[in-house]
Each structure stands twice: as C-alpha cells, then as structure tokens.
Amino acid sequence: MRVLSDYHVHTSFSGDCGIAPDIMVKQAIEKGIRHLCLTDHMDYDYTEAGVCFEFDVREYFHRLLPLKEQYRDQIDLCVGIELGLQPYLSKKHHNLVFSNSFDFVIGSIHLVHCRDPYFPSYFEGREEACAYLEYFESALQNLEAYSNFDVFGHLDYVVRYGPNQNRNYSYAKYREIIDEILRSLIKKDIGLEINTGGYKYGLGMTNPCKDIIVRYRELGGKIVTLGSDAHDPKYLAYEFGKAARLLKDCGFCSYFIFHNRIPVEIGL
C-alpha cells in the first residue's frame, strides 16, 4: 500500500533546513511522489537558540510558482505553510493567510509559553507528565484563539523530546483534554495531520499516536493528511506505507490533499 502525497515538507525557507526547494522537488519526483506540498515554518517571535523561523512570503511564491509550472507534468506541487501557533499572534496569522494564495495551511505548536519542547530546558524542574499536559493545554488555548488553518500538525509533538519520550505516555492519561482538542478540530472543520516524524525519532508511532487517531474518527473526524515533516530529501514520504496501514487499522479508507485550501479525497 503506497501513499504518494506528502503534505508536510520543509526547504531552505525554513530556519532549520538547508535544502533548496528545487532540490526537494526533484528528489520527490525521483521517489515517485505525485502530490507534494512545501510547508515552510512561519514561527513569529521564535525565541529559542537564536534561530529565525520567518521568511519572505513574496520571495517564497516567486521561487515556488515557477517550479510548480516547470514540473507540472511530473508532480502536483502545492504551496503551503506551517504556522507556529501562539494565541496572541491570531491577527498576524489572519493577515498572512488572507493576503496570500496558499494551497494548504498547517497549524502547529512549537512554542509553549515561549519555550520549545525540542530543548531539554522545557522539561527541567518538573515532571514529564506536567510538561506534556501544558503542551495539550496550549493546543486548546491556540484553537480558541485562531482556527483559520486546514490541519493541526503533529498533535502530541511534545513526546518526541520528553526525557522518556512515549514510554510513559498514552492517550488515556490525557483523555479529557485531548478529547476537547479533537472536538474543537471537528467543530471548526480542521483536519488532523498524521505525521511520520515520530518514526524517525524512534517512537515507533506517528504523531499523533494511534489511539488519538482512532478517537478522532470515533468523534466524527474525517479529514486526515499525511506528512513526513522532511527537512532532508531522504525522509520524503518516510514510512508512508506503515502510516497507510495504520490509517486502515484506525478505520479510515482515504486521506486528503488540498488545492486552494479545498480538501480533495484520495482512497487508500
């Protein structure tokens, strides 16, 4: 079972990636990917490690639209973005999204009260479970503040970097707040991203985990996308066969891609 649509991919427009967009597109074509969406980071006010996660959106389209045209017979290339959600940024995100013709918008959380779980300092001086709970609380706060995006990216991202990662983690431990998040997504017509970065980080699972995906479907969720979160071409469509089987096991018969912010269903 092959999924040939990768809808979470980074290029050199992201502060943590050095791969030029044309290289990423060419590698995707070589891998047989049919639908590719570049979703570079836009994390306003990112405060960790001196990394800048903002880019010139005009230059972004100036670089990507010619690639879309150049390779149109070989790959369906779409222009997306990954917003780094923080509640006070809702107006800035609104202006960005409505001023540009993105095909697809991911809403993700990388900063929880100005701290990124990627860094050990986020976990220092408190129990891992409390740090995870704060992340989920932040997710809910962000959904209440802003919801003009298409899917929620890598829900439970925080467990990638915890001291014990997912060894002591389960959906059941955070059921109440995760259900609130999922109900909010469904009510707002926001999909759920199945991000295979968790496999790369040695979790043996996607982000979010299987039980969350099952619960999303039980609550009426229908829109799921697949993204590798690749910052390197070798991780394009990473473990998508495994992710497709997981979706089947969770009761899904299809996944979605987006064009002009409109979901398009593709059978598994």
Side-chain angles (χ1 to χ4, degrees):
M1 186 185 302
R2 293 191 69 196
V3 172
L4 302 175
S5 307
D6 194 339
Y7 259 60
H8 190 152
V9 174
H10 295 281
T11 75
S12 54
F13 279 92
S14 291
D16 56 355
C17 180
I19 306 299
D22 60 312
I23 300 299
M24 198 65 84
V25 173
K26 290 174 185 176
Q27 289 295 311
I29 292 169
E30 287 189 14
K31 286 176 174 279
I33 293 171
R34 295 176 185 170
H35 310 280
L36 180 72
C37 191
L38 302 181
T39 54
D40 280 298
H41 287 294
M42 185 64 85
D43 273 73
Y44 294 117
D45 297 347
Y46 189 85
T47 54
E48 298 275 16
V51 181
C52 179
F53 282 116
E54 298 179 31
F55 62 86
D56 184 332
V57 176
R58 183 176 296 180
E59 178 64 17
Y60 192 54
F61 278 90
H62 179 71
R63 290 276 298 279
L64 299 192
L65 291 182
L67 292 176
K68 185 182 180 81
E69 178 65 21
Q70 181 180 353
Y71 295 107
R72 64 179 181 177
D73 294 331
Q74 299 176 69
I75 194 167
D76 172 29
L77 176 63
C78 287
V79 181
I81 193 166
E82 183 180 12
L83 300 179
L85 302 176
Q86 297 190 70
Y88 72 93
L89 292 174
S90 58
K91 185 175 181 180
K92 202 164 187 176
H93 286 151
H94 175 86
N95 292 338
L96 173 66
V97 170
F98 278 97
S99 299
N100 296 279
S101 54
F102 294 109
D103 287 298
F104 180 59
V105 180
I106 302 172
S108 298
I109 296 175
H110 302 116
L111 290 176
V112 180
H113 303 134
C114 299
R115 293 184 297 173
D116 190 340
Y118 178 85
F119 296 99
S121 58
Y122 176 78
F123 298 93
E124 288 176 358
R126 56 181 172 162
E127 293 182 359
E128 184 179 68
C130 293
Y132 288 0
L133 179 60
E134 184 187 25
Y135 173 88
F136 291 122
E137 290 172 341
S138 177
L140 195 57
Q141 290 165 3
N142 274 285
L143 280 169
E144 291 168 353
Y146 185 74
S147 58
N148 185 32
F149 51 91
D150 301 311
V151 302
F152 197 99
H154 48 53
L155 182 61
D156 77 14
Y157 156 94
V158 66
V159 306
R160 291 182 183 177
Y161 311 111
N164 297 292
Q165 292 189 306
N166 60 338
R167 288 190 288 277
N168 302 316
Y169 162 73
S170 69
Y171 154 72
K173 287 186 177 181
Y174 307 91
R175 177 191 300 271
E176 184 175 341
I177 192 162
I178 290 175
D179 279 1
E180 282 192 69
I181 294 168
L182 297 178
R183 288 191 178 99
S184 182
L185 292 177
I186 293 164
K187 181 179 179 180
K188 297 172 185 290
D189 294 320
I190 299 171
L192 185 69
E193 180 196 44
I194 312 305
N195 186 300
T196 60
Y199 293 135
K200 182 181 72 174
Y201 281 92
L203 303 180
M205 70 176 209
T206 57
N207 297 113
C209 64
K210 180 178 180 179
D211 286 348
I212 292 178
I213 301 170
V214 169
R215 184 59 174 154
Y216 174 70
R217 185 176 180 277
E218 287 175 348
L219 292 171
K222 297 178 181 178
I223 296 176
V224 291
T225 61
L226 284 103
S228 64
D229 212 346
H231 292 67
D232 184 309
K234 69 183 179 182
Y235 290 113
L236 285 165
Y238 186 71
E239 295 285 19
F240 272 23
K242 186 183 292 187
R245 291 190 293 273
L246 171 66
L247 279 177
K248 282 277 195 179
D249 289 344
C250 292
F252 286 91
C253 297
S254 60
Y255 65 98
F256 288 80
I257 61 172
F258 281 73
H259 290 132
N260 299 314
R261 307 286 310 278
I262 298 171
V264 178
E265 189 170 11
I266 298 179
L268 285 168

